[in-house]
Amino acid sequence: MLRACVIFLGLLSPAAGATVGPVRGSRLLTARPRYAARMSDDPHPWSASAAMGDLPPDAEDSAGQIVALPEEVRPNTKRTPREVIMIVLNALRTPDEPYENYGPQVAIAYSAPSNGASQLTPGQFAGYLSEDSYQIFAEWDDVEMEDELEIEDDGEHAYQDVMVKRKDDASWTHINWNLIKHEGMWMSESVVTY
């Protein structure tokens, strides 16, 4: 069953003990690829169709103080779609390091405004990581970028197939990552796991 979720980003280096597979080139597309996200009948909060509020992407530390993201993981116009994906994957791999809900905070920061996740608090986002479909984001040990990065002719939409798996699993979890440019920065529009 396909479930749609929209995601966000973290650290550029792999999580402890994780390996990164081959990353291949990119090619330009003229139309949206066949694997664009399908939404379920009941929109998940990570889906683009979820209700949106006006919540900040800041996290609170254990003393209740707002914590701003470190400069090295903040969204900027120089990051490529693949860098954004790896930042988010690595932040979610160790979601409470260096502080509680750091991974969800990073993921939210890299969520496009059209992504319902952009309106969640880090605590709300963390709650979804315990669901079966999303546990893999905090448990993967290996990651591979499958095929080529696909960028539409408009230069504003990118698509990447990603595979992740736990060390002892025989099969891979597939992720279709859809990104859009927002204010010149690549952001996650939707992330579909299957």
Side-chain angles (χ1 to χ4, degrees):
M1 174 181 164
L2 283 180
R3 290 193 72 181
C5 64
V6 181
I7 300 197
F8 359 83
L9 306 213
L11 302 173
L12 288 175
S13 61
T19 59
V20 178
V23 176
R24 299 177 194 101
S26 63
R27 72 182 156 105
L28 220 47
L29 291 184
T30 57
R32 281 181 104 62
R34 65 200 167 284
Y35 54 79
R38 280 192 290 162
M39 301 297 170
S40 64
D41 294 335
D42 183 20
H44 190 281
W46 290 355
S47 72
S49 62
M52 313 254 286
D54 190 27
L55 302 171
D58 296 316
E60 293 183 4
D61 65 12
S62 59
Q65 300 295 313
I66 300 295
V67 179
L69 282 175
E71 185 66 34
E72 63 269 12
V73 296
R74 288 186 194 155
N76 67 53
T77 58
K78 295 178 181 168
R79 298 205 196 283
T80 67
R82 286 186 171 173
E83 287 173 330
V84 168
I85 291 168
M86 288 310 302
I87 288 171
V88 172
L89 281 175
N90 282 303
L92 292 175
R93 174 63 177 87
T94 53
D96 291 323
E97 293 176 21
Y99 52 84
E100 185 177 6
N101 292 330
Y102 168 80
Q105 179 188 10
V106 171
I108 292 166
Y110 280 93
S111 294
S114 57
N115 179 340
S118 69
Q119 302 305 310
L120 297 175
T121 65
Q124 289 169 325
F125 188 99
Y128 292 104
L129 293 177
S130 64
E131 292 184 12
D132 290 344
S133 297
Y134 305 112
Q135 287 176 348
I136 189 68
F137 287 102
E139 298 174 353
W140 63 270
D141 293 302
D142 295 305
V143 61
E144 287 188 16
M145 300 278 180
E146 202 175 62
D147 301 323
E148 297 178 352
L149 172 70
E150 299 175 358
I151 300 176
E152 286 191 5
D153 283 341
D154 66 6
E156 301 290 314
H157 297 85
Y159 310 93
Q160 179 67 59
D161 286 327
V162 180
M163 296 187 316
V164 293
K165 80 177 196 97
R166 295 170 189 91
K167 181 179 170 184
D168 296 325
D169 284 354
S171 62
W172 293 81
T173 297
H174 293 261
I175 305 170
N176 295 125
W177 214 292
N178 299 310
L179 302 100
I180 60 170
K181 273 196 176 176
H182 175 69
E183 296 181 0
M185 297 176 283
W186 287 107
M187 303 289 222
S188 298
E189 183 174 40
S190 67
V191 178
V192 179
T193 61
Y194 63 97

